[in-house]
Each structure stands twice: as C-alpha cells, then as structure tokens.
Amino acid sequence: MVEPADRPSTAGQRLGAPESFGVSTLEPGLRPPAQPPGRLVSIRVQMLDDTQEVFQISQRSPGKVLFDLVCVHLNLSEGDYFGLEYQDQRKMTVWLDLLKPTLKQIRRPKNTILRFVVKFFPPDHTQLMEELTRYLFALQIKRDLACGRLICNDTSAALMVSHIIQSEIGDFDETQSWQHLLHNKYLPDQDAIRDKITDCHRKHVGQTPAESDYQLLEIARRLEMYGVRLHPAKDREGTKLSLAVAHTGVLVFQGYTKINAFNWSKIRKLSFKRKRFLIKLRADPTNAHHDTLEFAMASRDCCKIFWKICVEYHAFFRLFEEPKPKPKPILFTRGSSFRFSGRTQKQIIDYVKDSELKKVSFERLACLSHCLNRARPHGGTTADIISVNVPEQSPSKLPVSRRHPTHQTTTAATPRSPRTARRSPASQDSPLGSPRVVVNGNASVNGQGVGGVLGPGQIPEGQQLSPLTSPLLTEAGYVRNEDEDEARRKKFPTDKAYFIAKELLTTERTYLKDLQVITESFPSAVGKDEAFPDSVKNMISASYDPVYIFHQGFLKETEQRLAQWSGRSNAHIKGDYQRIGDVLLKNIQGLRVNILHLPLLLFFYTKNPSFSVSSRKVESLCRDFEQQRVCYLPLNIFLLRPLHRLLHYKLILERLCKHYPPTHDDFRDCRAALADISEMVLQLQGTMMKMENFQKLLELKKDLTGIDNLVTPGREFIRLGCLSKLSGKGLQQRMFFLFSDSLVYTSRGMTPSNQFKVHGQLPLFGMTIRESEEEWGVPHSFTLFGQRQSVVVAASCASEMERWVEDIRMAIDLAEQSSSPNNDLLSTSLSDNKLSEDGGGDQESEEELGGSRSSLERQGHRGNTTVHVCWHRNTSVSMVDFSVAVENQLSGNLLRKFKNSNGWQKLWVVFTNFSLFFYKSHQDDYPLASLPLLGYSVTVPAESENIHKDYVFKLHFKSHVYYFRSESEYTFERRVFHLSSSHF
C-alpha cells in the first residue's frame, strides 16, 4: 500500500473519489496482492521522474509484492519491462529478486532507496503497446543521456534533446527554449551543442508529446549503446573489456565500441566459476572461436550479477512463457535455483492486445512549467486537473494522465506520485461528459511551487485522442536529418562528373608528392656522396625536374577549376566551370613533351652499369634511401610513376566520356584529350611493360639470397607466393617464384633482413604438371615433373591452386617456345639442386651468410614488402595483379574506424602497391602508417554491426576489422571496385 502519512490530500480525495488501484502487471486485472501477516515496513522507491514514493509491505513479502504495488500505483500494464534496482551492502547495483523476501535482500530498508527503471530494452519501441510505457522509456533515455551512459554523436544527442524539450515545453519559442536549456541539464557537454539543439527544436512545431516520445525512442534504438549496461571484465590475454547483454545475446565491448556479439542461438550454456564467466558455444566448424570463451571479472559476485541478468534477458525475449520452477532436490542441491519470474515479452504483447486497455485514449498536459505561464482559469489550486475523454469502464481500467515533473525536487517527507490516477464523481458535471482525472499537485518546477487547473475548454477541438495510434513519422526520427542531407548537397555538387574530376585532383596531389621524392628527397640524400655518378644525377635532374614543374602548374589549374565547380552550382551558369576536359586538353602538349623522352632515361638506367645494381656502392646508397619514411615505396616504382600516370589520365577521361552525353559541353574536349592520351599510352606501352618487369626483377633480387643472374634479358616474372612442399618432414611452407624459364622455391632465411633463401630450381623446359590430390591425400595438391626432379606441392585453397596451375602451364609454353632458355639461376653452391630440405636446410652456413650478405642486410631491410606479406598471409600475386594494381591507384580523404574504437578519424589515404598508406593530410611528406591488404576481404558492414552511416565499406582479415567511410556514392563505388579487383 502507498504510505498515506505526511501526504497532502489530493483534489480527488477532497471530492470523495474512490481510489483506483489500476492494473497489476504480474497478476493482470487484480487489486494489489494480499500480503502475508507481519509487521509493515516502509520502502522508498524513486521513480523515473526522480520523485519518490513510500510503500508499505509486510516484512515477509517477496519482492514481487513490492514490484506489483509500484506498477499498480502507476497504472502500468506493461510493467514487466521494468525492474527495481538498489545498492546492496557491498555497494554493488543489483536487481530486486521478485521471488525472495524483500527484507532478506534489503538489510537496511530505512537507508535504502530502490529505483524503478527500465530493465529489458526491446529492439523496436513499437513493441511497446501502451503510450504510458513509451513515456517511461523516454524518461529512461533522458536519464541515460544526462548521466553520459547513452554515448552518441553530437547530431543524435542534439536531436534527442530537442524532442525531449518539445515534449516538455511544446513548440519552439526562442527566449523560452534558450532559458530552458540554461536552467536544465540534459547532456554532460550540453553547452557545446546548444545552438544545434535549438535548431532541431524549431522544426518540431505542432508535434505532440506522444510523437516526441516516439521520435526519441526511434533515434535511441538505433544507437550502439542503447540499453547497454557495461560489466567490466578481461579476456584471457588480460585485455580490458566490458560485457553486456541485449535481446540478441551477449555483447563484448572495448571502451564504448562493440567488438563482438554472441547470439542466443549460438550459445549452448552460460555459467560462472569463481571470478570466471564462461560462455559455451554450440559446435560450429566455421566459427574461429574456442568452444568455451572465458572472461575474468572483478569478483564472484560480479559474475553472478551478470549471469543473472543474462538468464533473465534470455527468458524474457526468447521464451513464450515464464519458466516453471525446478523441483527441489531431496538431498543435495547443485547449481543455482535462480530463475526468471514474470511475464515474457510475448505474454505481455498478447495480454495487451487481448485486453481493452489499448482502446483508452487521453489528452495530456505537455509540461507544467510551460502551461502554467498561461492564465489559470480557476484561480489556482494544489492540484493540476486534466480533462480526459475515457470510455465508461470500471475504475480498475482507468488510464492515467501524464504530466512532466522533469525538474521537481522531492523529499521523503512530501512524497507524491506523478502517475496516480483519481476518478472524480463529478464527471457528470463535466461539459464534455467525461470523468475528471486528478494528478497529485504540490509540484515544484525549478524549485518553485506551482499549482493550477486546466479546464476542459482548453483542450483543442478536433485533436486526435491518441496520437501514437498512427504516429506521424518523419525523417527527423533518424540520426541523419534533412539538415545533414542539405549540408551534404551544399558541400558537394551532385553531378557524377564532379567526383570524377575530383579523383583527378586527389590523385594528382599524390603524384606530385611522388615526383618530389625523385626530384628533391633522393638527390638531397645521395647528392653529397661522391660514389654516386654525376652523370646519373644530371640525367635525373634534366628528365624529372621539368615533369615536376609542369605538374605543379597543372595541379594548380585543376584545384582552381574544382574550387569554382563546387562553388558555382547555379543551373543557369552550368557549363562555365563544371567541366575538366578543357583543362586536360590544354595541357596535353606539355605532357607529351615531358613524358615521351623518359624511356631514354629508363633505357640508360637499365644498361648503365654505374647506376644498376652491379654497383655495390650505388646499391647501398639507394637502399639506405629506401629506409627513409619519405620513400614509402621501392625507389624503382617512383621512377616509373610518370608512365603510370598516363594510364590514370586515360581511365579518368574514359569515365568522363562514358558519363557525358554527346551534346554535353565538356564531351568534345574530353574525347579529344582521350585520343591524345591514348596515342601516348600506345607508344609507350611496350616500354612500360619491359620496365615494369625489369623493376620487379630488381625488387626480387633484394628479397632473395643464393641466386645469381636473376636480372637477365628475356626473363619475365610471372607469379610469386606460398605453397606447401611435401618432403620427408611432411608439408612445409615454401615461397615459390615463377619466371618464364624456371620455378624457384625458397624458405625464409635467418638473415637480419629476413631474405628468402633458395632451396632449389625447377627448369620449365620439358616440365609436366598433374593434379595429385587423390594420390597423396593432400587437398589442393599437384605434382611438378621436371627433367631431373619432381616436386609435390599444395595450395591453400582451390582458387590458389587454379591460379598456380594456369600460370605454370603458361610458363611451360613460354619456355618451350624460347630457343635458348637460361636455366642457370642458382649460385654455385646450390647449382646442383641437391639441397636437402630434410636435413636442416633452413639453417645457413657461415660461408653462405658471408658470401651473400650485403649492406642492405646490415641496415635491416623493411619486412613489409609484397613477398613478405604473401609469406605471412599464405597467398600469391602475379605480374598481372601488379599491372592491375598500377591502374587502380586512388587517393583522397576517408573516415577510418577501428572495430574497437569509438569514433571516426579523417585521414588522407593513398591506395597503391596492394597497400593503404595513411596521412594526416595530402600535404604530409610521409605516411603515418600503412596497411598491406593482401589477404583482406572487402565487404559492406552487416546490419548487426550497427554502422549506421552511408558509404561505408569494411576490410577484414581474420580478427582484423577496419571500417572506411567515403564522402559520396561515387567514391564509395570506386574504392570498393578497386579494392575488390586488386586480388585481395
């Protein structure tokens, strides 16, 4: 029973209205349950609006009696979504067990305040059938925002607060809204986004409190932290994590970011043992997790608390009815007897649908502080009286009216309920012929006592009685509202041609930085060393300096055009600046002059012994420079950049010509520029292919030891990658290199530079190949039969096997067509091809180390080259893949988010050479970090990952997950296409 002492009489009591006990949530349709005999004890309960009520229960009453009294007091028919929590003697927040005696749980009832809060958060607020229930949920969201528990971005926070204010004070009034925000705290950092809140609030004109609640819950339910209560834990490695439970299952958080989720359907058992919380998963061959996951918590009590709420969440959302109690054991007990008590979600929904409660409709006072600024028609009283239209029904079915005691200060000496309904016998005197519901008064708003009566005549005529029956849903219910869409449209033009032109700009910025490596960084690093030939210095300067100067001017023109394009978007001037073909066509002649002579330098580079790798001193200088951060790629790739850039221009112009209709103003210029660029590409194509092959052989020379004469005329690189070689020890991982005349297999050596040591060579002339999976019982295996030796190898998967078999057969055909194959690849010590892998061949002798060690090894060559990445990720790459990667180079801003991070970080990202390189901005000289992408998969985030953003793609490899967000649909499609087509 509600404590009557020290309570001022309400208007309904003064008028002689009988008390309405409402509807009990656990025993529908009944008055409060009979209590067992015994001394009565007062228990204080704090409601969601921060008011406190005092209830009297028998000292033997179970927790269910107290909870029933609270729900009856609130006229709450969907009370099973809620619970009573309190702090026990250990200062731990626990839920009141409805089956155990209350006083056995609350040792000091006089000093304990229980809190009535939401316990079970459904995934969709439309599953809440009663408007009152949604209101209480809205109060819970308001509380979570204020205490910083509901983490979200500023836009979502401002939008939710604006709906709360609309519900409390009504339509936007600049002075009133500003003062309201000054005196009330809805967010920890509210002042920073106060303007954004008011901007959102002014758009909610005419929105009722019910609609505001609906919109608030619509936004909140989409947030990752909606309904999440974190329980600190650690994994097996000691990493600090947090566990939580939701309607879907058990969640794992790192900070405020969800990093894993275990669905109920995948969980076989939840248990705890001392401080360890255990999750046993159902057997799943595709699941990379262990069968049992173990998390360490602070204590056994912490484990038990979390285990209990998991049990209750599972029963509430997954079961059709309340689980039956287990039979008591005769002699011994094993395990906990704890079980969920109450109706399941399905039972609640069925009950409310079948009852008459859903037909009740009522008008509600939006906010006391707002309405009391108006004239009080009856001169003021201690009670706020709201006229309600209610069908004739029994008092137990009477709905409650709603007020918003958002800023009341209440003490236990003057308890009052914002929800207690009293039916007036003077209903026949009402002009509307409806009963009058009295809401307890003596409220205080901002510390000031208020009172007043809202007469029936103040209810707008023709207004729908229940706005939530068919709520008016608008785009404001989503995290990204129309303002953000408009801002996006204003920031960027919508024409696809703009984004194609912007790709030209962003890649041009990266290209100019790459030229700067050759024209400035490299000469300054090696220029002072007398060992570097002056002829080579002068040749580089004479060839690349003009290219760099020319592209500085071209980049400036492109930046100016894009700035005009994005700033001049009026339809009547379209065509003046919204074009890029004329800029390209204007610079074609200068491009031709500076590019076509470069093959002469590259030819000199390949033939001049003073500049080639045969010069150990020059080789040492070049490799020392490659250790600098500014040289983020092999030096030879920078030398080929001007030739690769022609391919980029060609692809960009092809996309523009495909996009434009023939009548477009820019079509003619783009087509003319494309014809000129295509002519240059055709002229240089043969040279480009030879130089790319030569560059790749030079790179492989750095990664291999125990091999001679790798870079020879006529030899072509075809594929490199990992295969497992069958030997006396079983399958052993080996790195294979396929050339046009031989197949070389290696293992990673013990040198300081982690070079790959050659074990053997298989000449391709006369070789045959046969699939041998059935013969050896090894999946994806095939046998290579050479003239002097045969080798059994196995690929990691069927697709890898197909690639290797296809390329090896092509290489065999090339070798047989060659008139004079050069098979002498190995050094003298290995030329007999009899190195035994069974006899510890992985260990190099002192002679081998001394004979093959170069200055690079002493400097510590970088270990993230393509060869090393293929080794670690057990994959392969072909020369065709390298050529495709050259064409699929991209630059631009992206927002990056780690799987375990809270927010998005804006970075300048360069995609080249099978890697992503991250910069703070395009002006940086060197990358902050890099991400080799071989082995990664490119997908779009699933709905369960809660990445509610546009244009987001996901890169993942095993447990490594990265999210990237593009600025537009075009850039998103380009990134996904390039990453997908680059052999990951």
Side-chain angles (χ1 to χ4, degrees), residues 328-333:
K328 292 185 178 180
I330 299 176
L331 294 177
F332 302 103
T333 61

Side-chain angles (χ1 to χ4, degrees), residues 395-413:
S396 64
K397 298 295 182 72
L398 187 67
V400 301
S401 63
R402 167 181 171 182
R403 71 182 177 88
H404 299 253
T406 310
H407 315 292
Q408 298 173 354
T409 57
T410 307
T411 64

Side-chain angles (χ1 to χ4, degrees), residues 809-820:
R809 284 174 175 165
M810 179 190 68
I812 291 173
D813 293 339
L814 291 175
E816 292 178 350
Q817 294 172 7
S818 176
S819 57
S820 57

